[in-house]
Amino acid sequence: MMGLMASEETRTLNSTTVGESAPRDAREPGSTGPGRTSARAWTPWTTRLLVLGIILAALNLRPAITSLGALLEEVRDGLGMSGSVAGLLTSVPPLCFAVFGVTAPRLARRFGPGAVVCAGMVAIAAGLLIRPYAGGTAGFLAASALALMGIAVSNVLMPVIVKRFFPDRVGSMTGLYSMALAFGTSIAAAATVPVTDALGGDWQPGLAVWAALAAAAVLPWIPFVRDRQAPSAQETPAETAPADTDTPAERPALRITRSRTAWALAVFFGLQATAAYVTMGWAAQIFRDAGVSAGTAGLLLAVIMVMGVPLAFVIPRVATRLPQQGPIVVVLGVCGLAGYAGLYLAPAGGAWVWALLLGVSNCAFPLALTMVGMRARTGAGVAQLSAFAQSTGYLISIPGPLLVGVLYQHSGGWGLPIALMSALMVPQMIVGVLAGRDRTVEDEAAGETAAEVATGR
């Protein structure tokens, strides 16, 4: 499966994955050939250590969120937290991703990507260890923000590290990284309640225990702290000039905000992120309020999250074979609408079915990432579109979980919040269909510029 994914990715996103025809010494991790500037003498042991570091880092990119979702009721009771504040807490992850994620490239250029990821794992471990014992809501939020800051920078740099050190294995390493991320997401949702019960039933050690996984992820990155590699030769074309331009000086600036497709993709990314963070933060509580036990609610949340493991492989391969991705967007949206309808009508009676449907719907995330690569013609365009769509999308997603918490508190039930999420699924499908049309942001931006010149604006 990973091999198929790698070949498909090479065929479809060849504008962003470069170096396949480079000499072998330029494609080895850390090589000192023409594609590398590091003096590090890489060995098979070093490469295996880096792979282990990538896997452990990916495992830690979501437990801070899903472990809290499984114990949100206990945390609220323990800290005297209102529904509105709990909604604010579930809005913190996208806010931190939008604010801190943009600093990752600059930090990596100054300190090296290995050092930044290592510091990110330290921040995650410290935040997860401190937040249950911070002594109040403000301290809990601050410690959560510390952990999420570490997640944000690591989240951005993981794909960069994969492409830099494994340019000839981008597909398989990205698949491995994605599987580890989905597994960490689901295992935290499923295991938090049983672990809490095993530790005496207190929510504080039940949340703090996940700091141990983050602490373990620090160790493989320590040898890479002093490795401040410059960008490889493979990265340079994607960052300096597109394939159809002779020199960087000849490349016209891409005004990404002039592209309707870029805006559609950004809104699509933001709406699917809204649904994902509402699900991670509130789904377990919805099931518990319907009479489902805490342990089963955690398992149901895990089912929603684990659906991303197989579908993260299937959806991108299907999407790249279609000229337009609108049909996939609609299928995922219909699954979401059916899942929300089930939560409203019979949340406990068909809980496992609704979890499966919502899990399928939440796989709009890998589809969005796939469309980023398909809607730009050049490597520089992909990078610019990805930054615009993700940063704008995360900003769009911030109010959603907070508004769900406010509606839950003031209405005293889940009817209005579920109605809100169902309503948001409609524009998500509309902008997803627009983003999935067979066109590129470069052509749209160039067309807008030409139209302005023709009209004298």
Side-chain angles (χ1 to χ4, degrees):
M1 178 64 75
M2 287 185 179
L4 291 172
M5 180 180 175
S7 63
E8 186 71 24
E9 179 174 323
T10 301
R11 179 177 66 82
T12 306
L13 305 181
N14 54 12
S15 63
T16 59
T17 304
V18 287
E20 294 297 329
S21 60
R24 183 63 187 173
D25 60 350
R27 291 188 281 128
E28 287 292 342
S31 163
T32 56
R36 298 290 170 197
T37 59
S38 174
R40 171 182 289 280
W42 284 69
T43 65
W45 180 87
T46 309
T47 302
R48 286 193 291 268
L49 186 64
L50 180 58
V51 172
L52 177 63
I54 291 171
I55 293 172
L56 287 176
L59 285 172
N60 281 281
L61 295 183
R62 294 298 182 271
I65 304 170
T66 52
S67 63
L68 177 60
L71 293 176
L72 186 58
E73 182 175 314
E74 286 78 5
V75 173
R76 288 178 56 196
D77 292 341
L79 298 178
M81 190 183 298
S82 67
S84 300
V85 175
L88 174 63
L89 185 61
T90 56
S91 294
V92 169
L95 174 62
C96 289
F97 291 168
V99 172
F100 297 118
V102 297
T103 68
R106 181 178 299 178
L107 292 172
R109 286 193 296 268
R110 180 171 182 179
F111 301 106
V116 177
V117 173
C118 186
M121 295 299 110
V122 171
I124 295 171
L128 293 182
L129 183 62
I130 294 171
R131 72 174 181 177
Y133 305 102
T137 300
F140 191 94
L141 287 169
S144 295
L146 175 62
L148 292 166
M149 177 177 64
I151 293 173
V153 296
S154 302
N155 210 25
V156 171
L157 292 181
M158 280 293 98
V160 174
I161 288 172
V162 167
K163 289 184 179 181
R164 175 173 293 182
F165 295 106
F166 301 94
D168 55 342
R169 287 177 283 171
V170 171
S172 59
M173 289 302 300
T174 301
L176 185 65
Y177 156 78
S178 300
M179 286 183 64
L181 191 152
F183 182 76
T185 303
S186 57
I187 198 66
T192 296
V193 172
V195 168
T196 301
D197 293 339
L199 294 175
D202 189 351
W203 63 269
Q204 292 174 310
L207 287 183
V209 71
W210 295 104
L213 182 62
V218 174
L219 302 178
W221 290 100
I222 293 176
F224 303 99
V225 167
R226 298 177 64 85
D227 187 16
R228 300 186 183 184
Q229 279 194 323
S232 68
Q234 293 94 309
E235 294 170 49
T236 304
E239 296 176 0
T240 58
D244 56 354
T245 303
D246 293 330
T247 64
E250 297 175 13
R251 171 172 53 119
L254 172 60
R255 300 183 179 180
I256 197 73
T257 56
R258 294 175 180 266
S259 168
R260 293 182 178 87
T261 296
W263 279 106
L265 190 53
V267 176
F268 177 70
F269 193 97
L271 291 176
Q272 66 81 27
T274 299
Y277 286 107
V278 168
T279 300
M280 284 189 280
W282 291 107
Q285 189 65 51
I286 293 174
F287 288 122
R288 292 183 66 175
D289 286 352
V292 176
S293 68
T296 302
L299 288 174
L300 289 165
L301 179 59
V303 168
I304 297 174
M305 299 296 107
V306 82
M307 290 298 294
V309 177
L311 292 181
F313 285 104
V314 174
I315 289 177
R317 293 190 64 228
V318 174
T320 55
R321 295 179 179 180
L322 297 175
Q324 301 189 38
Q325 291 70 51
I328 304 177
V329 171
V330 173
V331 169
L332 297 180
V334 170
C335 288
L337 289 173
Y340 289 130
L343 284 182
Y344 180 82
L345 297 173
W352 296 100
V353 177
W354 318 141
L356 288 171
L357 289 170
L358 291 175
V360 173
S361 178
N362 277 353
C363 289
F365 175 69
L367 177 61
L369 294 182
T370 303
M371 288 197 292
V372 166
M374 299 181 70
R375 296 287 84 84
R377 182 165 41 83
T378 64
V382 170
Q384 197 168 347
L385 176 59
S386 178
F388 175 75
Q390 293 201 44
S391 60
T392 305
Y394 279 128
L395 288 174
I396 291 173
S397 70
I398 291 172
L402 175 60
L403 184 56
V404 166
V406 171
L407 291 175
Y408 172 57
Q409 179 181 4
H410 289 282
S411 67
W414 288 107
L416 286 179
I418 292 174
L420 171 66
M421 297 311 301
S422 299
L424 290 179
M425 193 59 66
V426 176
Q428 178 178 318
M429 288 190 285
I430 293 173
V431 295
V433 170
L434 295 176
R437 292 177 298 175
D438 188 12
R439 58 192 63 194
T440 65
V441 294
E442 291 92 347
D443 293 339
E444 286 188 342
E448 288 288 335
T449 302
E452 287 189 1
V453 172
T455 57
R457 282 188 290 168

